[in-house]
Amino acid sequence: MKRHSPPGSSVPFRRDEIERSIPERFKDQVASAPDGIAVRTLACALSYASLDRWSDAIAAQLLSRLDVRPEPVPFLLAQGPLAIATTLAILKAGKYYVPLDPSWGLQRAIDLADELDARVLLTDAEFATSLRDRIGEALILQLSSDCPAVAGPSIQIKTAPDQPAYVYFTSGSTGRPKGVVDCHRNVLHNVMRYTHALSIGKADRLSLLQSCGYSGAVSSMFTALLNGGTSCPVDMRVETPARLARWLDELSVTIYHSVPSLFRSVMSTDQIFHKVRVVRLEGDRATRRDLELFLTNFTAPSVLAVGLGATETGLVCQYFFDHGGALPEGVVPIGYPVKDMQFEVHGEDGTPAPPGIAGEIVVQSRFLATGYWKDARATARVFESAGTGSPERIYKTGDLGRINDEGGLEYLGRLDGRARVRGQWVQLADVDVALCALPGVQEAAVTVIGEDPHLVAYYVSAGRPGPTVPALRRQLAERLPAHMVPSRFVELEGLPLNANGKVDRAALPRPAPARPNLGVPVVEPRSLVELRLCEVWEELLGVGPIGTRDDFFDLGGDSLLAVSMMDRVEEMFGRDIPVSALLADANVERLAWLTITDSDDMEAPVVPIRRTAGDRPPFFFLHGDYLSGGFYCRELVRHLNPDQSLLALPPCGLDGTPVPSSYEAMAVGHLEAIRRIQPRGPYLLGGECNGGLVAYEIARLLEASGERVGLLTLLSASAQNARYASFFSWLQVVGGALRLTPSKQRYVFRRFQEFAANQGRLSVGTILRGLARKSAVIAAELGRLARMRDGFDFPRLDPGTCPEDYRERLRAIYQQIDRCYIPGRFGGRVTLIRGREETPDVLTESTWWRTVAADVEVFEVPGDNRTKLTRHVGALAGLLDRLVERTLSAPARSSSAWRAGSCPPAVPRGCP
């Protein structure tokens, strides 16, 4: 570990360069390298000359509406090239820019524009229509998202170094937004500090992940553009950590900057980044986990820079970690002061505290922010002179810290009720006031918990029933920016109080893992994909049970958890789904449907989950998941022997093709696909639920053709209809004589099942004798069927049908096929695998299978009929591996020899 700057190729940023304006410094870069890339995204590369031309055009538009005088100009734009061009344009026009974050909501943007007495608000087509509906046409200046092809007149308005450059709004202690004002000189000095500290030059590409309204964007954007480097902006509203990781590599980013919580999400991809030379983490406290991720995901000579900065101060101090030395055991230090910045830690009496003693961090410099917009009282409260005649001032940060034994600063949190959440300051009292103002809320308190801090709201209802979480979230979102809306809501009988009668936030209980009050019942998962997603959500959110229609954000999710969750979905199911897909319906039902629609894998009769080049025969698995696509197979294969190929055969109907009328007909089609891949045995077959029944029929077809079935494993596959075998044999004889089609025979069989169910626990023979007494009725029914057109085959399903209707129609078809299926004789061995926690009736399945198969063996794995395929899939895979090993090590034998076979070692019935 070290405390000095990383190597780089920067040109020294001269001290006299701060005594000018930001546009002047930018013009120097344009003149030096007009063809150099100023802004780079995956979609475009914008040269310095193009960015200069674009910002001149926007400045000209702005000056056509306003006269030439300094004033604030707000803009509402998503992060990207247009936002960067607009920032420069406002400064070129002699104004100072005020970025409004889209995540704050339109009403907050309008309120802030009113607070500024703004005469114009710049935006684009994404927000213009909604803004016009609320504030009219006169205030709106809509910008084009395209850079002009032809240069217009160059805008050259002289701006003094001490003129305001921007206003960045943060939350104030009174509940009103607080705008930090700073000048060109201070912005340039802050750029100079970063340039020297990180050795930034023309070859550097700097990430710009912060949204426009976040002051951390100042250093990322201007440090690139005022040094001839490249700014690489990303709209984080629509990105996932996996895509962001790929983006870093594809754009060859050399300096990564974000808050630590986002860094952790991105680094969970286990990708190695060779091109990044500096990782810069600010805006929140870094942890030992961040250092470990840096050492894992980045190669030498890259360095990790952690530090302290604020909107009011810019960069104050930094500490650098490289790939040598030991990690700190305790608090991660945030370093030593950079040029022209000093800090001290003051005790309660306002004097410097000795090393090791915690106190308020106080910063002293000539280059502190000008103050707060139209709030002289707040400015005087935290800014004061450093002494008579001194050009420096002192800023009381409100941060708690201490000086360590080496003279470095350690950040310990906040002194007051403010807290950093996802890198942004939140005044807890502001959220308290907004929550208490909602209908049905009597009193409330908000606190911050978790290693990745998130807001939790505790409230007492004014009556019964109390307000639901969706209602609270919706109303708060209309009053507060997104980062100030709590992720969890906990209803209490009363708030804990301290000895002074004030709310004791430290005594607030940690949220229980129970499902919050959503105002709707829990909808149970109806497929394995939905079940697996519910499990992932419960693990990620720490609540349960989760229903398939519960909203992710109402359950406590936020934007960062959402991108982490979508990354997990991509990892598990192989589907790259953008976070924006959840904007309309952020629930498991919708997400499960997105994972199976338009899947290329479902177009093939055999889906290669894993194909190896070894000598082992492939394991053909009929997953039976006609509702969700059998994506649990992707998890299953991760636990199987790496030399074992796993080829899945999806059920019919997933892609809208007609569903065959029986499992026997399905088996014929599947067997053709299997034999194209493996012409000769021994065959390894397996299946779950209806897929197991089709696998059984495939095994019978193979046996009839003289091929060897080495392994046939069935999971949750029912053979109970075997008790009706004698009646069905009779029906086939009679139906054949009457020339009844198979579908009409199935219809009669269903009628027989209904009759048998109404007779109670009678033997088949008794039921047949009862039916014989009604032979005239049966004959008439069969005769009527013989004269009818065959109308009992299943129609083609349209995959464009809404998810709910499609599922229900497909479920009804398979239920009909289930009711009509009677397994025939098989001379080989059937291996049944059941979950130890399955319902008792599953125990009887081996009895029914023994009536049709020559040999049956039963093994147990942890879980029930569903969790054995998800949560306990590792145990299932281990058993399958042992069964395959037994099969491959045994010589080809007759059926009688198979019946004498032994169980795999250490896998007897009832084993763990």
Side-chain angles (χ1 to χ4, degrees), residues 379-386 392-396:
T379 301
R381 187 168 56 248
V382 297
F383 292 96
E384 61 183 43
S385 173
E392 296 187 343
R393 292 182 300 149
I394 292 173
Y395 169 65
K396 302 172 183 176

Side-chain angles (χ1 to χ4, degrees), residues 39 51 55 79-89 208 221 225 231-233:
V39 180
L51 180 59
S55 56
Q79 186 59 275
L82 177 58
I84 294 174
T86 301
T87 300
L88 287 170
L208 181 53
M221 176 174 58
L225 298 180
S231 179
C232 301

Side-chain angles (χ1 to χ4, degrees), residues 155-406:
I155 305 297
Q156 298 182 1
I157 295 177
K158 187 67 176 178
T159 303
D162 56 358
Q163 180 175 309
Y166 61 64
V167 180
Y168 272 91
F169 277 96
T170 63
S171 176
S173 59
T174 63
R176 293 176 57 221
K178 187 168 57 174
V180 178
V181 184
D182 215 344
C183 65
H184 287 250
R185 177 188 293 113
N186 290 347
V187 174
L188 287 168
H189 192 278
N190 192 37
V191 171
M192 182 185 73
R193 301 198 295 266
Y194 275 109
T195 300
H196 292 163
L198 304 180
S199 303
I200 295 174
K202 295 180 182 295
D204 281 310
R205 295 188 173 190
L206 285 72
S207 69
L208 181 53
L209 309 182
Q210 297 84 359
S211 62
C212 294
Y214 178 51
S215 62
V218 173
S219 59
S220 293
M221 176 174 58
F222 286 128
T223 303
L225 298 180
L226 302 185
N227 282 297
T230 303
S231 179
C232 301
V234 173
D235 185 355
M236 289 303 297
R237 297 178 304 165
V238 297
E239 285 303 326
T240 66
R243 281 200 294 265
L244 184 55
R246 294 195 293 268
W247 171 88
L248 287 172
D249 191 60
E250 290 175 20
L251 292 190
S252 300
V253 169
T254 62
I255 299 179
Y256 171 91
H257 174 209
S258 79
V259 294
S261 54
L262 178 58
F263 175 74
R264 293 174 206 133
S265 297
V266 175
M267 293 308 113
S268 65
T269 60
D270 294 329
Q271 184 173 342
I272 303 299
F273 301 91
H274 300 283
K275 301 171 186 176
V276 177
R277 66 178 188 85
V278 177
V279 174
R280 177 182 154 212
L281 299 182
E282 292 172 9
D284 209 343
R285 181 167 49 187
T287 65
R288 181 186 173 92
R289 174 62 178 157
D290 298 318
L291 306 187
E292 293 170 344
L293 288 171
F294 166 72
L295 295 176
T296 301
N297 293 92
F298 297 86
T299 58
S302 62
V303 299
L304 170 66
V306 296
L308 174 67
T311 310
E312 292 87 345
T313 64
L315 179 64
V316 174
C317 58
Q318 272 189 329
Y319 195 89
F320 296 94
F321 296 85
D322 60 16
H323 288 263
L327 296 177
E329 292 296 331
V331 176
V332 175
I334 55 176
Y336 304 89
V338 296
K339 187 174 180 60
D340 296 326
M341 307 297 289
Q342 303 173 54
F343 62 76
E344 289 181 338
V345 172
H346 287 184
E348 293 183 1
D349 59 359
T351 61
I357 302 301
E360 182 179 15
I361 301 173
V362 175
V363 178
Q364 180 174 326
S365 176
R366 180 186 173 188
F367 303 99
L368 301 179
T370 306
Y372 296 114
W373 174 259
K374 290 186 176 181
D375 197 340
R377 181 176 299 180
T379 301
R381 187 168 56 248
V382 297
F383 292 96
E384 61 183 43
S385 173
T388 304
S390 173
E392 296 187 343
R393 292 182 300 149
I394 292 173
Y395 169 65
K396 302 172 183 176
T397 66
D399 289 323
L400 186 67
R402 68 187 174 209
I403 307 296
N404 61 25
D405 294 338
E406 298 177 351

Side-chain angles (χ1 to χ4, degrees), residues 599-895:
S599 171
D600 293 335
D601 284 351
M602 294 295 96
E603 300 296 324
V606 177
V607 181
I609 306 298
R610 179 170 68 197
R611 192 191 294 271
T612 65
D615 295 331
R616 282 172 169 248
F619 190 97
F620 294 96
F621 188 73
L622 291 87
H623 60 69
D625 190 5
Y626 56 79
L627 294 181
S628 301
F631 286 108
Y632 67 83
C633 295
R634 297 181 185 273
E635 291 194 58
L636 175 64
V637 78
R638 294 190 184 105
H639 298 276
L640 287 174
N641 186 310
D643 295 329
Q644 180 63 60
S645 296
L646 180 66
L647 306 180
L649 288 84
C652 301
L654 280 179
D655 57 355
T657 56
V659 181
S661 58
S662 66
Y663 291 139
E664 293 89 341
M666 294 180 192
V668 172
H670 283 313
L671 182 56
E672 291 177 1
I674 289 173
R675 299 191 85 161
R676 283 196 297 268
I677 296 171
Q678 183 185 349
R680 307 293 298 174
Y683 290 92
L684 306 179
L685 301 174
E688 194 267 337
C689 194
N690 63 85
L693 301 178
V694 179
Y696 180 79
E697 290 301 322
I698 293 173
R700 294 182 65 228
L701 290 173
L702 287 169
E703 182 183 55
S705 66
E707 289 291 346
R708 178 187 171 211
V709 177
L711 179 64
L712 174 60
T713 59
L714 306 183
L715 293 79
S716 306
S718 174
Q720 292 191 31
N721 279 355
R723 54 188 159 178
Y724 301 131
S726 57
F727 172 77
F728 198 72
S729 297
W730 171 81
L731 179 62
Q732 287 177 311
V733 173
V734 175
L738 294 174
R739 297 183 179 179
L740 295 183
T741 64
S743 66
K744 291 178 181 178
Q745 293 179 26
R746 289 195 303 274
Y747 173 80
V748 176
F749 180 56
R750 288 201 302 275
R751 294 290 301 272
F752 168 75
Q753 286 179 301
E754 294 168 3
F755 179 83
N758 293 331
Q759 303 305 307
R761 298 179 61 85
L762 300 177
S763 68
V764 174
T766 302
I767 294 172
L768 283 175
R769 285 191 292 274
L771 287 173
R773 288 193 294 271
K774 299 182 179 182
S775 57
V777 176
I778 294 173
E781 181 77 0
L782 292 176
R784 184 180 67 83
L785 289 174
R787 292 188 298 272
M788 287 178 57
R789 295 181 60 189
D790 191 355
F792 299 100
D793 286 324
F794 304 122
R796 179 186 177 92
L797 289 176
D798 180 7
T801 307
C802 74
E804 183 67 22
D805 291 346
Y806 187 90
R807 283 194 185 101
E808 291 307 314
R809 293 177 65 188
L810 200 58
R811 186 200 306 272
I813 288 174
Y814 272 91
Q815 285 176 343
Q816 291 183 54
I817 296 173
D818 265 334
R819 284 196 295 266
C820 298
Y821 172 68
I822 293 181
R825 293 289 301 173
F826 176 56
R829 170 184 284 172
V830 172
T831 300
L832 303 179
I833 301 177
R834 66 176 299 272
R836 192 174 299 117
E837 300 168 17
E838 292 187 37
T839 53
D841 61 310
V842 177
L843 294 172
T844 65
E845 284 301 329
S846 61
T847 301
W848 297 115
W849 281 112
R850 287 188 174 94
T851 65
V852 294
D855 187 21
V856 175
E857 60 181 359
V858 182
F859 297 101
E860 287 186 344
V861 292
D864 56 26
N865 64 319
R866 288 186 168 186
T867 59
K868 69 173 181 276
L869 297 169
T870 56
R871 189 174 302 159
H872 305 293
V873 70
L876 173 62
L879 173 57
L880 290 175
D881 275 335
R882 291 189 288 270
L883 290 169
V884 171
E885 288 291 343
R886 180 189 68 178
T887 300
L888 299 180
S889 62
R893 293 175 289 181
S894 65
S895 297

